[in-house]
Amino acid sequence: MEIPDFYRGRSVLLTGGTGFIGKALVEKLLRCCPEVERLYLLVRDKDGVSAEKRLSQLLALPVFAGCPIAKVTAVAGDVSVPGLGLSDEDRDVLVSHVSVVLHSAATIIFTEPLPLAVLLNVESVRHVVQLARAMKQLAAFVHVSTAYSNCNLPSVREEVYPPPADVHDMIRRAKEDPDGLERDATQLIGDRPNTYTFTKALAESLLVEEAADLPLAIVRPSIVGWAWRDPSPGYTDSANGMMGPLVLLAQGVVRSSLINVNCVVDLVPVDLVVNTVLAVAWHT
C-alpha cells in the first residue's frame, strides 16, 4: 500500500496545526494525499480570535494556494485542558470518524517556567491519549517529540528511557504547587539544559505508560529548519532556535560569525520531518 492510499478516505486529527511543523503537515497532507476525507485541526481561541477565524487566516496563507482547503475543519479546543476543551458535539465527531492522530502541539520556549511546560508538554499528552483511546477506528497515533529529549546521554537509541522524574508527581505539583515546583526546577532538571527537553522526556515516558496498547509511534526530529524541497525550497515561517540567526545571515545583516568548527549543528529540513511523520503513521 502506498502512503496516499493509506490516507484515502481517512479523517485525521492534528494538534499544533498553526505552528511551523503543523503548517507544513497540513500543506503536505492536502497536496499529496488529496483524497483524505477530512483534516481536523485542534485550534484554541487566542486573543479574542475564534478557532474558526484563526483557521481562515491560516488557510489564506500563500503556502496553501491550490490545496483542497475545504477538507480542513477547525475544532475549538486546547490541549492543556481536560477533555481538550471539546464540546460534546465535536468530541462525538472526532471519536466516530478520526482514525489517525498527529500530536504536534507543544511549547518550544526553552525558558518556559517548569509548571507551564509540564502542563503544555506532558499533561496535554494524557488528554490527547484519552481522546484517542475512545476513537473507534484508530489506526495510528503519532507523537512528535525531539531528538534532544535525552540530550544528557552520550548516545540515544530508538527506545524510551526511564523518566528523569516521577511523571505523575510533576503533573500534580504543576497544578497544586506551581510556585514550589518552579523553585525546584533547576534541581529537578539536573543535567538537561532546559524545561523543554526535560518535559519532552517526561511526555515520552507517559506515553509508554498510558498508551502502549495503542498503535503508537514517537518521532524525534532534531533542530527543524528551512524546507529542502516542499512546499518550496527554503520555506519557513519561523525565527525560533537556529532559524533567527540563519535568516540574519541569509539577509546579509550578519556578515561574519565566530564559530567552533568542532561542533555540529544538527538541522533537519521541515519537509523531511513532515514526510517522516506521515510515513510513520502509514507504517504503524
Side-chain angles (χ1 to χ4, degrees):
M1 179 189 293
E2 298 294 329
I3 294 175
D5 295 329
F6 168 73
Y7 287 98
R8 180 178 295 116
R10 291 190 183 276
S11 292
V12 178
L13 172 64
L14 171 63
T15 71
T18 60
F20 178 39
I21 296 176
K23 291 189 187 77
L25 270 168
V26 172
E27 190 278 338
K28 181 74 172 187
L29 189 59
L30 293 178
R31 178 167 53 83
C32 294
C33 305
E35 294 185 50
V36 65
E37 179 69 22
R38 178 68 45 188
L39 175 55
Y40 294 99
L41 265 59
L42 186 75
V43 183
R44 62 187 176 92
D45 296 348
K46 184 177 181 181
D47 299 329
V49 181
S50 69
E52 290 77 11
K53 179 65 175 177
R54 291 188 67 198
L55 178 64
S56 296
Q57 294 171 344
L58 174 72
L59 296 178
L61 295 174
V63 70
F64 298 112
C67 291
I69 60 174
K71 291 179 177 283
V72 185
T73 298
V75 179
D78 187 334
V79 293
S80 67
V81 177
L84 301 176
L86 296 170
S87 68
D88 291 341
E89 180 181 1
D90 284 341
R91 185 184 187 280
D92 289 344
V93 168
L94 297 179
V95 165
S96 299
H97 298 289
V98 168
S99 60
V100 177
V101 176
L102 308 176
H103 180 43
S104 177
T107 174
I108 59 173
I109 300 173
F110 293 168
T111 57
E112 195 81 82
L114 182 57
L116 183 56
V118 167
L119 296 178
L120 293 175
N121 289 350
V122 186
E123 191 182 33
S124 63
V125 170
R126 170 178 287 166
H127 297 155
V128 180
V129 167
Q130 289 170 344
L131 177 67
R133 186 172 294 284
M135 291 176 175
K136 302 172 183 178
Q137 307 174 59
L138 184 67
F141 181 114
V142 182
H143 171 71
V144 180
S145 184
T146 173
Y148 302 101
S149 55
N150 298 284
C151 59
N152 57 318
L153 302 178
S155 64
V156 179
R157 299 181 182 273
E158 291 192 16
E159 61 186 69
V160 175
Y161 292 84
D166 185 293
V167 180
H168 304 286
D169 186 54
M170 290 295 98
I171 294 174
R172 180 191 62 78
R173 293 187 65 187
K175 294 190 288 188
E176 298 177 5
D177 182 27
D179 292 339
L181 180 59
E182 183 62 18
R183 284 195 300 270
D184 295 340
T186 300
Q187 179 181 357
L188 288 166
I189 291 172
D191 56 358
R192 284 178 169 79
N194 49 53
T195 58
Y196 173 71
T197 56
F198 179 76
T199 53
K200 280 296 194 176
L202 291 175
E204 288 188 6
S205 64
L206 183 66
L207 276 169
V208 169
E209 179 181 343
E210 300 194 358
D213 59 325
L214 298 180
L216 170 70
I218 297 173
V219 175
R220 290 173 173 159
S222 59
I223 302 170
V224 183
W226 286 317
W228 174 33
R229 292 187 299 190
D230 298 323
S232 61
Y235 166 77
T236 184
D237 73 343
S238 172
N240 291 319
M242 281 298 299
M243 297 301 290
L246 289 175
V247 167
L248 294 177
L249 286 167
Q251 292 177 334
V253 176
V254 174
R255 293 170 180 261
S256 63
S257 179
L258 181 65
I259 64 170
N260 183 338
V261 295
N262 296 314
C263 292
V264 175
V265 178
D266 196 344
L267 286 167
V268 57
V270 66
D271 45 336
L272 297 192
V273 177
V274 165
N275 292 347
T276 300
V277 170
L278 295 178
V280 162
W282 161 78
H283 180 76
T284 300

